[in-house]
């Protein structure tokens, strides 16, 4: 058994680089670099839980450190680098709708129930 390979999509107009950190000392962290509007994929992962993804973006005004994605240990694999403001960026998990589907018997709460 192994987890899916980590993928990081850079949805910004800047080159980004950073580090994917894994929980165990037996797992090697990954350094990555990704060009604008492309996706980087790890070469391997195995059963390594992910704890952090950092990113630094090379902008015309200088390098900007993005808000990292952090976790106590996750098996999630799809992430994105987003621009959140004029000079701010963040690494976030990409939600796959197939992972987050509601049960068949789910009923949306009414206004009174919210």
């Amino acid at each position: 058994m192994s987890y899916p390979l980590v993928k990081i999509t850079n949805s910004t107009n800047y080159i980004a680089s950073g580090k994917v950190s894994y929980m165990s000392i037996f797992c090697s962290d990954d350094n990555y670099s990704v060009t604008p509007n492309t996706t980087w994929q790890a070469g391997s992962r195995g059963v390594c839980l992910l704890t952090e993804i950092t990113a630094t973006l090379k902008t015309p005004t200088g390098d900007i450190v993005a808000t990292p994605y952090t976790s106590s240990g996750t098996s999630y694999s799809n992430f994105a680098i987003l621009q959140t403001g004029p000079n701010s960026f963040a690494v976030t998990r990409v939600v796959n709708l197939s992972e987050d589907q509601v049960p068949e018997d789910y009923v949306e709460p009414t206004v009174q129930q919210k």
Side-chain angles (χ1 to χ4, degrees):
M1 179 189 137
S2 64
Y3 298 122
L5 297 176
V6 174
K7 295 178 185 175
I8 302 171
T9 300
N10 180 2
S11 66
T12 75
N13 293 321
Y14 309 106
I15 294 172
S17 60
K19 184 177 183 178
V20 178
S21 299
Y22 299 100
M23 182 179 273
S24 173
I25 60 169
F26 302 107
C27 299
S28 298
D29 294 341
D30 290 315
N31 292 312
Y32 73 91
S33 181
V34 63
T35 55
N37 302 302
T38 61
T39 299
W40 171 87
Q41 180 172 295
S44 65
R45 182 171 182 182
V47 293
C48 301
L49 293 173
L50 184 151
T51 57
E52 184 178 50
I53 300 175
T54 63
T56 300
L57 291 101
K58 298 197 174 300
T59 73
T61 59
D63 290 354
I64 298 177
V65 176
T67 301
Y69 173 86
T70 58
S71 170
S72 58
T74 184
S75 61
Y76 291 125
S77 59
N78 290 316
F79 299 88
I81 303 167
L82 306 174
Q83 185 160 5
T84 57
N87 290 309
S88 59
F89 301 87
V91 181
T92 187
R93 181 173 75 93
V94 175
V95 177
N96 182 335
L97 294 178
S98 66
E99 291 174 0
D100 298 328
Q101 288 187 359
V102 297
E104 276 184 28
D105 59 350
Y106 177 78
V107 177
E108 183 69 28
T110 64
V111 173
Q112 291 82 12
Q113 292 172 321
K114 289 183 181 178

